[in-house]
Amino acid sequence: MTTATSKPQAGPKPAGAAGTEKEKWLHAYRQMVSIRLFEEQVNEVYTRALMPGLAHLYSGEEAIAVGICQALRVDDYITSTHRGHGHCLAKGASPDRMFAELLGKEAGYCRGKGGSMHIADPATGNLGANAIVGGSVGIATGAAFTAKTLGTGRVAVCFFGEGALGQGSLYEVMNLAQLWQLPVMYVCENNQYNEYTHYQETTAGTILGRAAAFGIEAASVDGQDVRAVNEVATRLIERARSGGGPAFLQCDTYRYSGHHVGDINREYYRSKQEEHLWKTDRDPILVLTKWLTERGYADAASLDQIASEVRAIMESAVKFAIAAPYPNVDEVEKHVYA
Amino acid sequence: MPERELTFAQAVREALAEEMRRDSRVCIIGEDVAEAGTPFKVLSGLVEEFGAKRVVDTPISEAGFTGVAVGAAMTGLRPVVDIMFGDFITLTMDQMVNQAAKAHYMSGGHWKVPMVMRTTLGATRRSAAQHSQSLHAWFSHVPGLKVVLPSTPFDAKGLLKTAIRDENPVIFFEDKMMYKLKGPVPEDDYTIPLGVADVKRSGDDITLVATSSMVQVALGAAILLEREGISAEVVDPRTTWPLDEKTLIDSAKKTSRVIVLDEGYGRYGVTAELAAVIAEGAFYDLDAPVKRMGAMHVPIPFSPPLEDATVPTEQTVFEAARAMCKPS
Ligand SMILES: Cc1ncc(C[n+]2csc(CCOP(=O)(O)OP(=O)(O)O)c2C)c(N)n1
């Protein structure tokens, strides 16, 4: 088959694998801090009523997006969710155009027409965030179908929250992916809550048991440990890339904020004590900080330096987005059809 | 040399085969599409020519494989999915309406979804309420989708080739009762643009706007009307979206009377939309309100005399048209 529209854009090297171990994990650190500080700015901008719509923050879950995207090539595909800023950044999007999109500005990744829940970026293989829970499982599996049919060597990663385990279409495509041995990895970000309901109230059986039913290679990992996530993701992704078939990865994690920024009183569904425990004992940035300093790869000063560089980038991204113009109203009828 | 004739099913198959030869990215995905060639045998022979990698049998997972087709289309293939019966589009709704129809717009024009969904419509096959519906209005309602309703073998081939070459999701509805209908189909590579209506028969006294197999019904009614001295024009929009409003309105202005015929439900349906377009565009030239004829507003019954009562026929259209032209 010809590959008219799908030339690989980069070599087979994982985006984050460049350089030494130290460089790799310092890069991971920077990316996790980028997501954390991006979301801090979102919270700020949202609270100042500058951002229309809804904002679902990824804070607390950074190690998953970063650990997995570090195991991907630039031309590999991802699909994302309503809680998608972290995936988008980790895959390589730039914060200024992301913020512009969040504010509905023309300079945004989707010219302001997608917003927070629909950012897509072909240049980094991001097929798009999706505001339908489980809505992108078909798209990711289809991208893997293309990769296999055209022999491009690409892999597709499908991020979804454990809430999507309730959607039948997930199991339809898992069945297809295993039958056809497609290079796709399903990543279940189990942050414990489907909106305001604990997942154990909505999920019968076990999460991995679902993958086992289809004979899909499956693993679970501490989603707060970026190195652990990266290690297992690398194995499963390379297995898929070399024709070994699909994989399912359960990442246990926690979202620090409400379901969305306005979800402030949360005691009726989870305790402050539980939140505190995750934030102090299992924070993904602290976990990596500890490892980096123990190894002598970094010290407090060098990590602070990274954080302040990132903060400056995020602040200027927000400034850029606030100053950027809205699309012209005649844009409204553009791109309905290609 | 007499013109070559093909059945509607053969015309569809020829369009697919030609497009698959022309473009190696075109593939077929669906239930029993390969060796079985679908229950209607529309696809017979294709897997033998193109292989199982391009004529892909799936499990019975309409939502799943339609979703896969959306993703495959976004990333470089041009899938044609087969939904065995139009009634089963219900299972694909999220994929078509929330994903396929919106990916281009939501991404600010970055992603495209060049896919085709082929499915069926049409009653009177004695298949009862879950295998007989004509639900094309549902997709016609959604911006980002295009909807094609071929009425002849000639149109089926030309429109399907265009649909496959289109950069957008296109749903192609085939009336299952027309698969054996024969008509002239050129052997060459021709296409018919989407959004261009066709005047199937010209006339002066009344316009019968009809879609899909209702075009055949309208043409039959036109012959009956001719015997009564009434000259009927039959206009086939061929696509509900994009819609060739001008041809419909021009014909209405010319004849001053219009019946709109479509096998879907009339309420909030295709006939409602077409009648509104005509009423808005030709109001001052009309001698009578636009009349609509479609499926009765009931689930399609199994019992043959009941089922037959649900859809317009040559006779009922003839009578309605005669009453409009010669009020007693
Ligand atoms: C099909 C569908 N049903 C319901 C919703 C409303 N909704 C948005 S997010 C959400 C919870 C999702 O939980 P989960 O998948 O675990 O993701 P998380 O928010 O925890 O990251 C719900 C119910 C939706 N967007 N789509």
Side-chain angles (χ1 to χ4, degrees):
Chain A
M1 287 201 166
T2 51
T3 58
T5 57
S6 46
K7 268 225 168 85
Q9 298 156 351
K13 220 173 184 189
T20 62
E21 182 182 70
K22 174 181 167 181
E23 283 163 357
K24 174 174 174 176
W25 297 114
L26 281 173
H27 180 68
Y29 181 86
R30 179 181 291 271
Q31 283 201 297
M32 290 202 292
V33 170
S34 295
I35 296 171
R36 181 72 55 90
L37 296 183
F38 183 94
E39 298 294 48
E40 265 183 25
Q41 291 293 331
V42 174
N43 189 56
E44 165 82 13
V45 168
Y46 194 91
T47 323
R48 284 168 57 203
L50 291 171
M51 179 179 161
L54 282 179
H56 305 85
L57 304 185
Y58 194 68
S59 313
E61 309 187 24
E62 295 89 347
I64 303 170
V66 171
I68 287 168
C69 291
Q70 276 208 345
L72 291 174
R73 300 185 341 201
V74 180
D75 64 334
D76 284 333
Y77 291 112
I78 62 164
T79 62
S80 170
T81 69
H82 57 287
R83 200 175 302 290
H85 306 158
H87 310 132
C88 192
L89 280 166
K91 197 65 175 61
S94 75
D96 48 359
R97 291 189 61 201
M98 283 180 66
F99 267 114
E101 189 59 37
L102 266 54
L103 302 193
K105 301 300 181 71
E106 189 180 5
Y109 273 104
C110 310
R111 306 178 62 77
K113 293 200 284 202
S116 162
M117 296 198 288
H118 299 295
I119 303 187
D121 177 23
T124 58
N126 184 349
L127 287 157
N130 213 297
I132 303 294
V133 170
S136 70
V137 297
I139 293 172
T141 311
F145 181 84
T146 300
K148 171 142 185 171
T149 305
L150 300 181
T152 60
R154 293 174 173 185
V155 172
V157 168
C158 180
F159 290 104
F160 54 87
E162 84 293 337
L165 296 171
Q167 295 287 13
S169 52
L170 173 64
Y171 306 109
E172 294 194 18
V173 298
M174 283 168 63
N175 185 47
L176 292 170
Q178 176 68 352
L179 281 171
W180 298 341
Q181 291 290 287
L182 301 180
V184 56
M185 181 164 79
Y186 301 99
V187 176
C188 177
E189 300 181 305
N190 179 20
N191 66 12
Q192 322 289 321
Y193 294 91
N194 314 170
E195 245 175 20
Y196 318 113
T197 304
H198 196 273
Y199 86 99
Q200 279 170 350
E201 295 173 42
T202 62
T203 314
T206 65
I207 294 178
L208 289 190
R210 288 155 161 78
F214 297 103
I216 291 180
E217 178 83 4
S220 71
V221 69
D222 175 3
Q224 306 309 88
D225 180 348
V226 69
R227 292 172 46 255
V229 171
N230 180 257
E231 187 184 326
V232 59
T234 302
R235 176 175 72 79
L236 295 175
I237 288 164
E238 290 318 311
R239 179 181 176 277
R241 197 187 303 288
S242 58
F248 187 104
L249 182 58
Q250 171 184 347
C251 304
D252 295 313
T253 185
Y254 202 76
R255 69 165 148 77
Y256 284 0
S257 320
H259 171 60
H260 58 89
V261 171
D263 170 24
I264 295 165
N265 300 317
R266 300 187 284 273
E267 276 102 311
Y268 71 93
Y269 70 91
R270 64 187 211 186
S271 68
K272 286 207 160 133
Q273 191 192 5
E274 178 186 285
E275 292 187 359
H276 181 74
L277 222 74
W278 279 87
K279 288 180 187 178
T280 49
D281 280 16
R282 301 190 62 184
D283 179 67
I285 295 177
L286 293 180
V287 169
L288 184 61
T289 299
K290 185 160 178 284
W291 184 82
L292 284 169
T293 41
E294 277 172 9
R295 281 259 157 163
Y297 287 160
D299 54 21
S302 63
L303 296 179
D304 279 353
Q305 174 64 27
I306 291 176
S308 61
E309 282 168 23
V310 169
R311 177 162 278 121
I313 290 170
M314 296 307 159
E315 283 168 358
S316 85
V318 170
K319 281 203 189 104
F320 166 81
I322 290 174
Y326 284 112
N328 212 307
V329 175
D330 67 9
E331 176 82 22
V332 67
E333 286 195 304
K334 279 190 196 143
H335 306 123
V336 179
Y337 292 95
Chain B
M1 206 170 79
E3 267 188 296
R4 182 186 67 146
E5 292 217 326
L6 290 184
T7 65
F8 192 96
Q10 288 167 334
V12 167
R13 176 160 62 238
E14 184 163 284
L16 284 163
E18 286 181 13
E19 291 306 294
M20 290 177 82
R21 275 174 218 134
R22 187 186 60 79
D23 184 344
S24 64
R25 298 169 302 172
V26 179
C27 55
I28 295 173
I29 303 175
E31 295 157 18
D32 285 326
V33 294
E35 284 76 10
T38 77
F40 299 106
K41 303 296 164 201
V42 178
L43 306 182
S44 297
L46 293 181
V47 73
E48 286 76 7
E49 177 173 354
F50 299 103
K53 251 186 118 175
R54 294 184 63 198
V55 184
V56 183
D57 268 341
T58 66
I60 302 160
S61 299
E62 286 79 6
F65 68 74
T66 300
V68 166
V70 176
M74 288 170 72
T75 51
L77 295 179
R78 302 183 80 86
V80 180
V81 298
D82 186 294
I83 302 293
M84 200 181 281
F85 284 84
D87 311 73
F88 312 156
I89 64 168
T90 51
L91 297 153
T92 71
M93 275 294 164
D94 184 59
Q95 297 309 317
M96 297 306 289
V97 174
N98 280 322
Q99 311 301 338
K102 295 182 175 45
H104 188 64
Y105 192 82
M106 291 196 307
S107 67
H110 284 313
W111 294 111
K112 291 180 190 165
V113 188
M115 68 178 283
V116 174
M117 172 181 281
R118 287 183 44 254
T119 190
T120 64
L121 56 70
T124 71
R125 194 168 166 267
R126 313 309 179 213
S127 309
Q130 295 172 337
H131 286 68
S132 307
Q133 295 165 92
S134 300
L135 299 177
H136 47 291
W138 294 7
F139 285 138
S140 308
H141 188 65
V142 178
L145 302 178
K146 297 185 179 183
V147 178
V148 184
L149 299 164
S151 66
T152 66
F154 177 88
D155 285 356
K157 179 176 169 185
L159 290 167
L160 183 52
K161 287 166 74 83
T162 307
I164 291 169
R165 296 178 196 189
D166 200 282
E167 294 298 327
N168 300 283
V170 181
I171 302 96
F172 193 88
F173 281 93
E174 301 161 13
D175 190 316
K176 54 180 104 57
M177 300 306 286
M178 283 200 299
Y179 279 133
K180 296 202 169 94
L181 177 79
K182 278 194 160 179
V185 178
E187 269 167 76
D188 40 304
D189 173 28
Y190 67 94
T191 56
I192 299 171
L194 308 186
V196 178
D198 189 35
V199 178
K200 297 290 186 200
R201 174 194 166 111
S202 74
D204 301 313
D205 300 325
I206 186 166
T207 297
L208 305 176
V209 174
T211 63
S212 187
S213 60
M214 287 296 118
V215 171
Q216 302 300 332
V217 169
L219 288 170
I223 292 170
L224 300 178
L225 289 164
E226 195 173 12
R227 290 183 199 146
E228 301 262 330
I230 297 169
S231 160
E233 176 148 302
V234 176
V235 181
D236 175 4
R238 296 200 285 205
T239 50
T240 51
W241 197 263
L243 179 64
D244 180 356
E245 299 186 351
K246 182 171 186 300
T247 301
L248 304 190
I249 292 166
D250 286 351
S251 176
K253 285 182 175 171
K254 180 172 102 175
T255 64
S256 78
R257 293 179 193 88
V258 182
I259 297 177
V260 183
L261 280 165
D262 174 84
E263 213 182 318
Y265 295 119
R267 290 187 195 163
Y268 309 97
V270 167
T271 56
E273 175 64 17
L274 299 184
V277 164
I278 292 164
E280 281 169 6
F283 183 78
Y284 296 104
D285 296 276
L286 292 177
D287 287 333
V290 178
K291 185 172 174 57
R292 301 189 285 139
M293 297 179 78
M296 285 172 68
H297 213 70
V298 297
I300 309 295
F302 170 70
S303 178
L306 298 188
E307 182 179 30
D308 289 344
T310 65
V311 286
T313 62
E314 286 179 12
Q315 190 61 31
T316 56
V317 174
F318 161 69
E319 284 163 13
R322 185 177 56 181
M324 264 175 102
C325 295
K326 295 185 175 172
S328 47

